[in-house]
Amino acid sequence: MTDQLVLASRASIAKGSKSFALASKLFDPETRDRATMLYAWCRYCDDVIDGQESGHGRIAYAGTPAERLAELEALTAKALAGEPTGVMAFDALARVAAQTGMPARYPADLLTGFRIDVEERPFETEADLLTYCYHVAGVVGVMMAIVMGVSPDDRATLDRACDLGLAFQLNNIARDVVEDAEIGRRYLPGQWIDAAGLSRDDYAAPRYRETLAGVVKRLVDLAEGYEASARYGTPALPLRSAWAVLAAAGIYGGIGRKVRAGGAAALAHRVSTSTAQKLGIVAASYAAAFSRSRRWPSPGPSRTGLWTRP
């Protein structure tokens, strides 16, 4: 019988991410339950910091963002110490960590990403951007790999998993660049904006969309390099996990590629993929998963030139 932690985690993923929910169905049952519990914790923390529910709307949480972050840090530390918290998301994280040997540094690294947002740290360089992407998404790739059975000591495979998380976040930033600008958030490096001849104050204004599309193209191009690197980690995964990873890579990478192909017009609305397109990617990824050791043999090409996690 499925317990309440798993059921509540499934409800969280169903509301928070249709793409992740679809990809998670490809896992074997044990991995799927662990992945959904990890997702529930990530989603809860993100919602508390952003003042949202399942990534949508606005919710009035008590306290300032800094105070809420401090509470998240305290509850996470308590959960990882094996103490019950009474909060589903943290008890779910505790179970995942206990079952997989998840090092505490990785949940802490994700919370550092929220601190970057709370403190509104400036993004000046590409390294600033990629450091942020690691803390909000690359480390999630690392934790997901551990959930899939990768040893916490397997640095090479975890680096490839981190690459996929980086690619996901870069594509998310590309898709949401105008929407983020409208609420005062800028993730594009200031140096990129300057090089394009745009103003940092109104780079996303409609009259600058053609130029901004060139900056967004640079972002998607960067994401593709990390996506390509990540595929060389899939031979280390069980078949069904590799299938899920390759499907997720195709879905999220497809969003970035649609944004890039659409140019300025794609920046005027939120680009997405249809259910039919997602199912097509899932089907193609099944064949790719079977041939992964031949197509992306381990250890793969050198990651020289790619940003590397701490």
Side-chain angles (χ1 to χ4, degrees), residues 121-202:
R121 298 182 192 175
F123 290 69
E124 285 297 315
T125 66
E126 184 176 303
D128 291 337
L129 168 65
L130 290 169
T131 297
Y132 174 75
C133 288
Y134 165 70
H135 282 291
V136 299
V139 71
V140 177
V142 171
M143 291 190 287
M144 282 295 298
I146 293 171
V147 162
M148 294 176 209
V150 176
S151 167
D153 297 324
D154 185 349
R155 174 90 194 190
T157 301
L158 295 183
D159 281 345
R160 300 292 184 180
C162 179
D163 287 341
L164 188 58
L166 296 177
F168 284 0
Q169 188 62 24
L170 291 167
N171 283 318
N172 282 341
I173 292 170
R175 179 192 61 191
D176 298 336
V177 65
V178 171
E179 183 179 328
D180 285 335
E182 289 172 347
I183 60 173
R185 288 185 174 180
R186 173 177 64 79
Y187 298 108
L188 295 176
Q191 291 180 356
W192 288 18
I193 294 174
D194 295 344
L198 292 169
S199 165
R200 297 190 185 194
D201 295 327
D202 61 354

Side-chain angles (χ1 to χ4, degrees), residues 25 57 84 164 190 203 226 232 255 262 288 299:
K25 293 181 187 298
L164 188 58
Y203 62 90
Y226 288 95
Y232 286 91
I255 290 173

